Amino acid sequence: MSTQNNTHHPISFTLNGQKLQAEHGETILQVAKRSDITIPHLCYKDGLATDGNCRACVVEIDHERVLAPSCCRQPTEGMEVKSDSERAQKSQKMVLELLLSDMPETKYTPNNELTDWAEKMQVQTPRFDARKAVQQDLSHPAIAVNLDACIQCTRCLRACRDEQVNDVIGYAMRGAESKIVFDIDDPMGDSSCVGCGECVQACPTGALMPANNVGLEVPDKQVKSVCPYCGVGCQLTYNVKDNKILFVDGRDGPANQSRLCVKGRFGFDYVHNSERLTKPLIRRSDVPKNVDYIDFDPANPGTIFREASWDEALDFAADGLKKILKENGGEALAGLGSAKGSNEEAYLFQKLIRTGFKTNNVDHCTRLCHASSVIALLEGVGSGAVSNPMGDVSNADVIIITGANPTVNHPVGASWMKNAIKNGTKLILLDPRRSELTRHATHHVAFKPASDVALLNAMMHVIIKEDLTDKAFIESRTENYEELAAHLESYSPEAMEPVCGIKADKIREIARLYATADNAMILWGMGVSQHIHGTDNVRCLISLCMITGQIGREGTGLHPLRGQNNVQGASDVGLIPMVFPDYQPVTNEQARHRFETLWGTELSDKVGLTTVEIVNEAYNGNVKGLYVEGENPAMSDPDSNHARAGLAKLDHLIVQDIFLTETAYYADVVLPASAFPEKTGTFVNSDRSVQLGRQALDPPGEAKQDLWIIQEIAKRLGLDWQYDSAEPVFNEMRQGMDSIAGITWDRLQNESVTYPCKEEGDAGSPIIFTDSFPTQSGKALLVPAAIVAPDETPDQEYPFVLITGRQLEHWHTGSMTRRASTLDALEPEAYVAVNQRDLLSLGLEAGDTLKLQSRRGEITVKTRIDDLTPAGTVYMPFCYFEGAANQLTNAALDPDAKIAEVKYCAVRISAA
Ligand SMILES: Nc1nc2c(c(=O)[nH]1)N[C@H]1C(S)=C(S)[C@@H](COP(=O)(O)OP(=O)(O)OC[C@H]3O[C@@H](n4cnc5c(=O)[nH]c(N)nc54)[C@H](O)[C@@H]3O)O[C@H]1N2
Ligand SMILES: Nc1nc2c(c(=O)[nH]1)N[C@H]1C(S)=C(S)[C@@H](COP(=O)(O)OP(=O)(O)OC[C@H]3O[C@@H](n4cnc5c(=O)[nH]c(N)nc54)[C@H](O)[C@@H]3O)O[C@H]1N2
Ligand SMILES: [Mo]
């Protein structure tokens, strides 16, 4: 034992006379850094592979003739190293001086390490002439390239290739001609760059910089916060001056370790957009609701609304609610809360609906998102959240990703996936479309859209027939295995081949690969959940995981990739019609009693209406009043012509948003709210980590924080609420929610905490289900699922399948990203992606304007050739109001989860 340990004994050496110990594999520079000994360095960056090309970090080693780069050199036992000897310092300074001599006259450069080191080392004005200046490359909307300032340290290259695995940046030419290039020396704007800006963050000299005005102003404050876009939950720092975000840096959070994507890094100026709502608005009495708003200009709200004071607008909003409450009762009211806002906002919003509106008619975008996953998970394993964090892919031998496009939708998460694959993890990608991850996949299984149950059942059939199950796990940790096995008898790969379009042998191969892996993880997204059989799809994923025992350890488990930055939190705190906070059913008397006591009121035991149901009942005249906070259902609901007609029929619609959205066009009153950086609150990411978002800016004009607005409405409905900030709300939440009871506000100031965290001081639980499931029996329930066809299949009249989804640069309904200048410059135009073969057979060309029709609506958009999309299928993101995909989609619902089938409907295409 002791001999084995010897190899990992710390190594003793001296640095500048100080005795130090190095861990195995540590370099001199790394030891110096953690011992607060300053050695200048430029090409070295924590987290990147060492390269040793700049020689700024050279040190003198006893008995060695040549100076050694401390970033590459590991100390040996007894080694005597000097970084502060005259010889070492002279050399370090010479490197800095030479590099400095080449620097162009710069504006302010954020994080300029070269000038910082030069200053620290007292390097004087360089004595050497500069090289010939190099032309700037300003072809990319997000990133300015000024190779004049490049010191060829290759940090950008390593960040692009090794961290983000995007492989855009290269190092080309030789000798004095050598330089950094993008793809094959393309202008950056024409290259395959995805704009993540990891290179900008890695650059120590400002050769790569954010394109937007950076350098003109110096930030006066830095605020640590979180990204407002997706569920990865990247931590970041806002660099602010005069109430304006100048630029953003990635921060070392558990989910991102300083990485960001194009939206998180360059997508912030929506908060400063001139179309921000800054005054409360009341609808003009002469403007009817049921009109087509396609040409309406949100920059001119006066065509529909008049400005009002806060008092008038809030009284008007509350009076409308009170009138309906009195005449029709609480069931005629409903609320749609937000997964973009904080836990505290979502919690108060559902509390307002339940205690002020006196109904459980409260829901949010989770209904259109992972509702089916949550229902299947609650039924199967007793908890709707992930079992293992996204980053755990690095511990998996095999990962299945199905119905998700992470390089587009969870880009930083995708970087961990690509890193894992580089290190040997095998990827099984189950998706009808190809994606950027296809080239990293061991198997891309492009099955027929909506045939997940057939494919997954066939995989399980193979696993059982070939005796690859984990019997001990099935025995001790699951229920209902016999029924599942009997059900799967008829799902042989041969029988399923014609249904899912995948060869039986291929199904066998991937089934074996997953089942026999030491550790295998399943991650999934909307391609699985957004079907009328979405719950069944997830039941199959759960069973696949359980019969192979791939859960409860590092690198295993189930991870539904959560979408919105706080959809996990909004669900946890009860923004759901069937449950109170922490998933306690409204029908459960004990749970009701608990909240009746906490909130000092009586509560309804009637399960409320869901998102699509609310709008349907508005259409039917049963819901008369609706409060929408931070959602845009006129764009995001399926079959939006019908949804908009429903919104138009409401007697009273309150919209609380930061922009005049398509939904706001139907409003009676519009309340100007706060954007993400304008408030403080907690957010839960896909990994179940609770993180603090901090206020960096004041809301513009008369816009107010959401927490304040919700409370003002509550007060006018007679509720005596006095929460002066997010903290007391969070403390109240802890009283009703056992899973976060142990998390203190103080602790969140310094770290993110992963729930369950039941007692103060609990470390938190990134990996759960290690020895039981939170079901009544403690075991997982295996629920067999049979094949259900999509609600609407293609026919002669409507021969194509329409898949809707997302694109990297835009967020959902576009309200934020189409007002973010860089993102909008990158992707300014609506399109439909069509396979080349289909385009040819229709006699059309890329760029043609097409008419797309479904049984519910029609739109005209430009076409793009897209060979990611299989023939017979077309693909559209749903972010463009002028070509709104949801005018076509089908609102048929999954019977268990009430999620709509936005991933599948039949359309017809023709030249416009
Ligand atoms: N850039 C950007 N990022 C986002 C968002 C955004 O709007 N923009 N939104 C966020 C939100 S809220 C969410 S929920 C996530 C969503 O993230 P994802 O789940 O990755 O989203 P989608 O693009 O909707 O669809 C994912 C995949 O489903 C596949 N698919 C289609 N039909 C089927 C099928 O029948 N079976 C299977 N297995 N797959 C199918 C599609 O080909 C597509 O690759 O993204 C989050 N991140
Ligand atoms: N066809 C089709 N439809 C879909 C989907 C699909 O794949 N295909 N996906 C579905 C999914 S997964 C989701 S999650 C939904 C998303 O649907 P929505 O949640 O309706 O979409 P968002 O555009 O994110 O809407 C958020 C709104 O909140 C506003 N907002 C942002 N920050 C704040 C804030 O701090 N305070 C306030 N008050 N407002 C704020 C924004 O301006 C925006 O209007 O769409 C669903 N619809
Ligand atoms: Mo979502």
Side-chain angles (χ1 to χ4, degrees):
M1 219 173 122
S2 61
T3 44
Q4 257 190 350
N5 274 349
N6 260 348
T7 50
H8 293 297
H9 251 355
I11 297 144
S12 303
F13 72 109
T14 64
L15 177 58
N16 303 342
Q18 194 176 330
K19 275 205 164 51
L20 295 173
Q21 301 216 308
E23 294 302 327
H24 199 75
E26 258 187 320
T27 62
I28 296 171
L29 181 64
Q30 283 164 337
V31 182
K33 282 187 86 165
R34 66 170 167 74
S35 316
D36 286 332
I37 296 174
T38 312
I39 306 178
H41 55 274
L42 290 165
C43 75
Y44 172 84
K45 183 168 185 282
D46 285 335
L48 293 178
T50 51
D51 201 55
N53 64 54
C54 80
R55 293 301 196 261
C57 70
V58 288
V59 290
E60 198 170 354
I61 297 175
D62 212 23
H63 307 304
E64 288 190 16
R65 210 161 44 84
V66 198
L67 297 176
S70 60
C71 69
C72 302
R73 192 65 183 270
Q74 294 175 12
T76 53
E77 191 62 36
M79 188 186 257
E80 285 180 29
V81 186
K82 291 200 185 83
S83 70
D84 61 357
S85 70
E86 201 189 324
R87 187 169 156 229
Q89 288 214 342
K90 201 169 161 199
S91 184
Q92 293 161 2
K93 285 166 118 170
M94 178 60 91
V95 169
L96 294 174
E97 185 181 343
L98 279 166
L99 292 174
L100 214 52
S101 69
D102 263 349
M103 286 299 115
E105 259 322 294
T106 46
K107 317 179 267 193
Y108 157 74
T109 311
N111 316 321
N112 193 325
E113 295 174 32
L114 177 55
T115 48
D116 286 353
W117 281 120
E119 207 172 292
K120 254 187 229 160
M121 302 293 293
Q122 295 171 338
V123 176
Q124 311 295 327
T125 311
R127 294 159 290 174
F128 314 105
D129 291 336
R131 285 173 306 184
K132 208 169 89 216
V134 189
Q135 185 68 36
Q136 272 192 319
D137 171 3
L138 301 176
S139 58
H140 196 282
I143 300 169
V145 186
N146 182 10
L147 291 186
D148 221 13
C150 177
I151 58 168
Q152 308 198 347
C153 66
T154 69
R155 274 163 55 160
C156 57
L157 185 156
R158 282 171 281 152
C160 184
R161 183 179 294 171
D162 301 342
E163 282 200 1
Q164 293 271 356
V165 203
N166 288 329
D167 293 331
V168 180
I169 301 185
Y171 192 46
M173 316 302 185
R174 274 160 193 268
E177 301 288 300
S178 58
K179 64 169 184 173
I180 290 295
V181 294
F182 304 94
D183 287 343
I184 43 172
D185 204 6
D186 290 331
M188 191 181 213
D190 296 344
S191 74
S192 57
C193 170
V194 293
C196 72
E198 203 65 47
C199 56
V200 172
Q201 186 157 305
C203 179
T205 63
L208 295 164
M209 286 235 275
N212 264 356
N213 293 327
V214 170
L216 300 182
E217 287 167 297
V218 184
D220 52 28
K221 82 174 169 186
Q222 298 194 310
V223 181
K224 293 177 175 177
S225 193
V226 191
C227 177
Y229 286 107
C230 87
V232 174
C234 297
Q235 294 194 3
L236 47 73
T237 304
Y238 297 115
N239 295 274
V240 179
K241 183 179 163 66
D242 299 339
N243 210 36
K244 197 164 173 235
I245 297 174
L246 297 181
F247 62 96
V248 161
D249 290 312
R251 194 154 65 88
D252 195 11
N256 67 312
Q257 294 177 23
S258 302
R259 300 176 186 190
L260 291 175
C261 79
V262 66
K263 292 182 297 303
R265 201 184 298 278
F266 302 116
F268 278 94
D269 62 355
Y270 75 90
V271 303
H272 304 303
N273 187 284
S274 61
E275 289 180 10
R276 275 295 296 275
L277 289 168
T278 55
K279 287 221 160 82
L281 302 171
I282 291 179
R283 189 175 201 88
R284 282 170 30 183
S285 50
D286 60 332
V287 183
K289 287 188 178 177
N290 205 0
V291 291
D292 187 358
Y293 288 103
I294 190 76
D295 294 324
F296 180 71
D297 177 7
N300 290 311
T303 50
I304 305 182
F305 300 96
R306 64 174 174 84
E307 290 178 359
S309 71
W310 268 107
D311 266 338
E312 187 193 1
L314 289 165
D315 286 345
F316 181 83
D319 288 347
L321 296 169
K322 282 196 278 197
K323 182 163 181 275
I324 296 167
L325 197 56
K326 192 160 157 228
E327 290 173 8
N328 308 92
E331 296 303 319
L333 292 176
L336 292 173
S338 184
K340 295 232 73 62
S342 67
N343 288 324
E344 292 74 20
E345 290 162 6
Y347 173 84
L348 284 195
F349 189 82
Q350 60 88 39
K351 184 175 169 183
L352 167 66
I353 305 298
R354 295 196 149 107
T355 64
F357 291 21
K358 303 189 194 309
T359 170
N360 289 313
N361 292 341
V362 60
D363 207 357
H364 74 290
C365 64
T366 191
R367 191 63 41 209
L368 304 168
C369 186
H370 267 303
S372 43
S373 307
V374 172
I375 295 287
L377 286 166
L378 285 172
E379 167 193 83
V381 299
S383 156
V386 303
S387 69
N388 293 57
M390 217 179 288
D392 218 15
V393 290
S394 63
N395 297 311
D397 302 289
V398 171
I399 52 181
I400 290 181
I401 297 177
T402 176
N405 190 358
T407 49
V408 166
N409 299 317
H410 300 87
V412 170
S415 73
W416 302 122
M417 296 165 199
K418 290 184 280 183
N419 292 160
I421 293 162
K422 268 200 160 183
N423 285 328
T425 301
K426 294 200 164 89
L427 168 63
I428 303 171
L429 186 63
L430 310 179
D431 202 304
R433 293 179 73 226
R434 286 195 302 134
S435 69
E436 177 56 29
L437 276 187
T438 306
R439 73 185 173 96
H440 302 274
T442 317
H443 299 277
H444 173 215
V445 182
F447 60 105
K448 290 188 196 163
S451 66
D452 298 64
V453 169
L455 175 67
L456 297 170
N457 277 352
M459 286 173 71
M460 286 192 275
H461 176 100
V462 172
I463 289 167
I464 293 174
K465 287 289 164 204
E466 298 191 2
D467 209 16
L468 303 174
T469 56
D470 183 338
K471 287 175 205 62
F473 188 91
I474 291 172
E475 178 61 32
S476 63
R477 305 275 316 261
T478 72
E479 292 177 306
N480 215 34
Y481 174 72
E482 297 307 326
E483 286 77 356
L484 176 72
H487 171 78
L488 291 171
E489 271 294 333
S490 59
Y491 289 86
S492 70
E494 280 72 18
M496 291 304 105
E497 183 177 315
V499 184
C500 66
I502 301 300
K503 292 256 179 292
D505 282 349
K506 182 89 174 177
I507 299 176
R508 290 206 161 79
E509 202 179 335
I510 56 169
R512 289 174 194 141
L513 186 59
Y514 173 78
T516 59
D518 286 343
N519 294 303
M521 197 167 167
I522 302 177
L523 304 104
W524 73 93
M526 298 299 100
V528 167
S529 63
Q530 291 171 331
H531 291 277
I532 57 161
H533 50 265
T535 309
D536 284 337
N537 289 349
V538 180
R539 287 178 174 131
C540 292
L541 292 174
I542 297 170
S543 296
L544 177 63
C545 166
M546 295 300 155
I547 63 170
T548 51
Q550 295 286 18
I551 195 158
R553 307 181 303 276
E554 273 193 346
T556 66
L558 297 164
H559 190 117
L561 291 152
R562 301 311 307 254
Q564 294 266 30
N565 55 326
N566 199 36
V567 66
Q568 184 62 57
S571 305
D572 297 341
V573 303
L575 213 54
I576 298 184
M578 7 355 221
V579 294
F580 296 126
D582 234 4
Y583 307 94
Q584 302 169 67
V586 297
T587 48
N588 178 309
E589 210 179 303
Q590 238 181 321
R592 217 165 45 245
H593 188 68
R594 180 173 180 178
F595 286 99
E596 285 181 339
T597 311
L598 182 63
W599 295 339
T601 186
E602 262 180 46
L603 293 168
S604 164
D605 62 355
K606 188 166 172 244
V607 169
L609 296 169
T610 60
T611 292
V612 175
E613 289 173 339
I614 288 171
V615 175
N616 284 346
E617 289 309 318
Y619 189 87
N620 296 335
N622 297 323
V623 166
K624 296 183 184 301
L626 176 64
Y627 180 5
V628 180
E629 179 243 349
E631 285 213 338
N632 191 4
M635 283 289 292
S636 57
D637 269 16
D639 188 3
S640 54
N641 290 330
H642 177 76
R644 291 172 189 189
L647 294 171
K649 285 194 179 186
L650 287 162
D651 289 345
H652 192 56
L653 173 61
I654 307 169
V655 171
Q656 174 174 329
D657 205 294
I658 55 176
F659 294 111
L660 201 63
T661 59
E662 292 71 15
T663 304
Y665 300 168
Y666 299 91
D668 295 276
V669 50
V670 180
L671 306 174
S674 50
F676 185 95
E678 294 159 6
K679 57 200 175 188
T680 293
T682 61
F683 295 80
V684 186
N685 72 1
S686 196
D687 292 343
R688 285 182 273 107
S689 298
V690 184
Q691 317 199 88
L692 197 63
R694 289 183 180 83
Q695 181 172 1
L697 306 171
D698 294 323
E702 291 173 31
K704 294 277 190 192
Q705 293 189 336
D706 292 83
L707 212 62
W708 181 86
I709 305 173
I710 297 168
Q711 286 194 75
E712 288 301 313
I713 301 271
K715 283 178 188 163
R716 284 168 173 76
L717 294 185
L719 301 172
D720 178 25
W721 287 7
Q722 308 289 344
Y723 306 94
D724 54 11
S725 69
E727 184 179 349
V729 184
F730 181 78
N731 288 335
E732 181 178 312
M733 279 159 44
R734 290 175 59 197
Q735 292 176 47
M737 299 174 65
D738 298 339
S739 61
I740 61 159
I743 306 179
T744 63
W745 188 260
D746 269 358
R747 189 167 167 197
L748 292 171
Q749 305 304 312
N750 307 312
E751 59 177 315
S752 18
V753 186
T754 304
Y755 71 73
C757 174
K758 298 191 172 173
E759 311 273 335
E760 280 186 31
D762 275 3
S765 328
I767 297 174
I768 50 176
F769 311 146
T770 48
D771 45 32
S772 73
F773 294 99
T775 52
Q776 283 211 315
S777 61
K779 293 183 175 184
L781 180 67
L782 306 179
V783 184
I787 295 171
V788 175
D791 182 69
E792 181 188 65
T793 46
D795 53 21
Q796 278 196 321
E797 220 185 327
Y798 296 96
F800 286 92
V801 173
L802 169 69
I803 298 181
T804 62
R806 298 160 164 76
Q807 69 186 113
L808 174 65
E809 293 79 2
H810 285 302
W811 193 258
H812 293 150
T813 67
S815 63
M816 294 155 71
T817 49
R818 296 198 76 196
R819 293 181 175 96
S821 58
T822 303
L823 301 175
D824 191 50
L826 286 165
E827 284 290 355
E829 205 176 32
Y831 69 92
V832 56
V834 185
N835 186 287
Q836 177 138 26
R837 234 190 308 161
D838 290 333
L839 216 52
L840 279 176
S841 70
L842 291 165
L844 297 166
E845 285 177 24
D848 282 356
T849 301
L850 302 189
K851 184 156 80 176
L852 268 83
Q853 291 166 289
S854 78
R855 291 191 171 80
R856 294 155 295 277
E858 68 173 63
I859 57 175
T860 48
V861 283
K862 278 206 178 150
T863 174
R864 268 189 203 173
I865 292 191
D866 168 49
D867 291 328
L868 303 176
T869 303
T873 307
V874 296
Y875 178 83
M876 274 191 84
F878 67 101
C879 54
Y880 299 98
F881 68 90
E882 67 278 35
N886 273 324
Q887 292 190 284
L888 307 173
T889 52
N890 186 357
L893 300 182
D894 172 301
D896 297 316
K898 310 281 174 73
I899 194 169
E901 193 153 57
V902 289
K903 282 285 178 284
Y904 198 107
C905 74
V907 293
R908 168 164 77 211
I909 309 175
S910 53

